[in-house]
Amino acid sequence: MSQFLNASDAARRLGISTKALRLYEQRGLLAPVRSDAGWRAYGPADLERAAEIVALRALGFSLAQVARLLKGDASGLEPALAGHEATLEARLREVVAALEGVRALRGDLARGGAPTASDLARTLVPTPGLHLAFELPWPWGGERFELRDIRPLTYITGPLGSGKTRLAMRIADELDGVFLGLDRAADRALQSKIELTVGLLIQDGATDTPALRALLTGLEASRPVVVDLVEQGLDRATQEAVIAHLRRRGRGAPPLFVMTRSSSILDLDALGPDEMVLFCPANHAPPFRVAPYPGTPGHEALASCLATPEVRARSEGVIAVRR
């Protein structure tokens, strides 16, 4: 058993959590052997397979897509790769622009010129993305809130009564965006525009329901969209298919904010560079960004707010009220 690793060591080598390894096993993607004491043991073949899963997840594939790809089924691969290609092209344009700026500075130096500090800062520091600044609504005390370098996909979460819905609505107002509440309904005028997406999601394991169509038509807005509990009315497979689709939107799409408490939507082991998490604490301290790494500030509290769709279904419809 010298070539085998326990779950903690295997997860550390792969750069993921032990929870992710257990999830891969639950989905039939991994089958580690058991030691005489009943502990999971991961051999070279398990680690190679797990590394493939991690790489595919980093490309934005859902676990259902990963399962099909590992079986040699390439259906649904084209739109996923197209979305990843668009993201890479956007990053490439940023790198090319920075490279051209550095070359211009070197040219100035060769001609005897000296760049100023502001010239260097503009060239060497990435241009900040969209940012927000406003006073927080109730239940906060009007504290100043700033959100810089907004990513294409932002998750908003927190325990019941933490104020995350009010924060989401305020963000929608500040961005002149659209807020999709829980009472959303499908826009019949947009049905034809979402048929291709519905078909792709069904292929990825989703169930075609009014809730899914209401969500997709709401996302067709050309402005930033903020969604209240994006998982509302969607089963586990549909949630996983939807979030995999949303993660492939790319940097050119309007910012999207999704409220969630589902671990199938907010998978902390699968967050990419174009995603960020906003956490609203239970004690009504100001919301803050949480990095998806164990041990970072807020990570443990964030993880405790997330649950599987089956567990979340027990509290569906429960709201926090102020007496």
Side-chain angles (χ1 to χ4, degrees):
M1 298 286 287
S2 60
Q3 294 183 336
F4 286 74
L5 300 178
N6 61 31
S8 297
D9 290 339
R12 188 178 302 110
R13 177 173 295 187
L14 294 164
I16 59 176
S17 67
T18 54
K19 176 185 173 183
L21 283 177
R22 289 196 298 271
L23 179 60
Y24 300 162
E25 183 180 352
Q26 291 169 4
R27 294 305 183 87
L29 304 178
L30 285 179
V33 298
R34 297 278 182 152
S35 67
D36 294 338
W39 299 102
R40 293 175 176 83
Y42 298 83
D46 297 314
L47 294 174
E48 182 179 355
R49 171 59 67 92
E52 292 175 349
I53 297 171
V54 172
L56 291 171
R57 293 288 277 158
L59 289 173
F61 291 106
S62 68
L63 287 176
Q65 288 174 317
V66 169
R68 290 203 302 269
L69 288 170
L70 293 177
K71 294 178 182 178
D73 182 358
S75 60
L77 187 58
E78 168 55 30
L81 290 178
H84 190 63
E85 179 182 0
T87 299
L88 292 176
E89 287 177 345
R91 294 179 191 169
L92 179 60
R93 287 192 292 270
E94 293 175 359
V95 172
V96 169
L99 180 60
E100 291 175 346
V102 171
R103 286 175 175 169
L105 291 178
R106 294 188 65 190
D108 291 341
L109 284 173
R111 290 187 292 270
T116 65
S118 59
D119 291 334
L120 288 170
R122 283 195 301 269
T123 302
L124 302 179
V125 179
T127 303
L130 180 66
H131 69 274
L132 288 173
F134 54 85
E135 292 184 355
L136 288 167
W138 183 89
W140 296 279
E143 298 98 329
R144 186 72 172 171
F145 176 73
E146 292 191 14
L147 184 61
R148 297 184 177 277
D149 193 18
I150 296 175
R151 309 295 171 81
L153 179 57
T154 300
Y155 304 88
I156 302 175
T157 191
L160 287 172
S162 62
K164 56 185 180 296
T165 303
R166 290 181 175 84
L167 175 67
M169 297 175 71
R170 183 60 182 272
I171 288 174
D173 288 341
E174 291 292 327
L175 290 174
D176 190 26
V178 176
F179 180 78
L180 292 182
L182 296 180
D183 57 348
R184 48 186 176 259
D187 187 337
R188 294 184 179 181
L190 296 174
Q191 288 297 312
S192 60
K193 296 188 66 174
I194 66 168
E195 288 302 330
L196 176 60
T197 301
V198 171
L200 292 173
L201 292 177
I202 291 174
Q203 189 178 60
D204 196 19
T207 302
D208 186 358
T209 61
L212 175 62
R213 288 181 173 268
L215 174 64
L216 293 178
T217 56
L219 293 174
E220 285 295 317
S222 58
R223 295 181 290 161
V225 178
V226 183
V227 185
D228 189 358
L229 287 185
V230 67
E231 65 265 23
Q232 183 77 3
L234 308 181
D235 59 28
R236 179 198 284 264
T238 304
Q239 290 181 35
E240 293 177 351
V242 164
I243 198 59
H245 167 68
L246 297 181
R247 294 179 69 205
R248 296 192 294 265
R249 295 168 70 247
R251 296 190 175 187
L256 173 63
F257 293 77
V258 295
M259 282 177 50
T260 184
R261 293 187 65 202
S262 170
S263 57
S264 289
I265 294 292
L266 177 47
D267 183 349
L268 296 178
D269 294 307
L271 291 186
D274 292 332
E275 301 165 73
M276 59 187 285
V277 182
L278 277 180
F279 180 67
C280 298
N283 64 357
H284 295 153
F288 61 95
R289 290 174 61 170
V290 177
Y293 310 111
T296 56
H299 185 276
E300 184 176 351
L302 168 63
S304 70
C305 286
L306 303 174
T308 64
E310 292 78 13
V311 173
R312 287 283 298 118
R314 301 173 192 167
S315 59
E316 185 173 351
V318 175
I319 60 174
V321 297
R322 182 187 185 192
R323 293 188 179 276

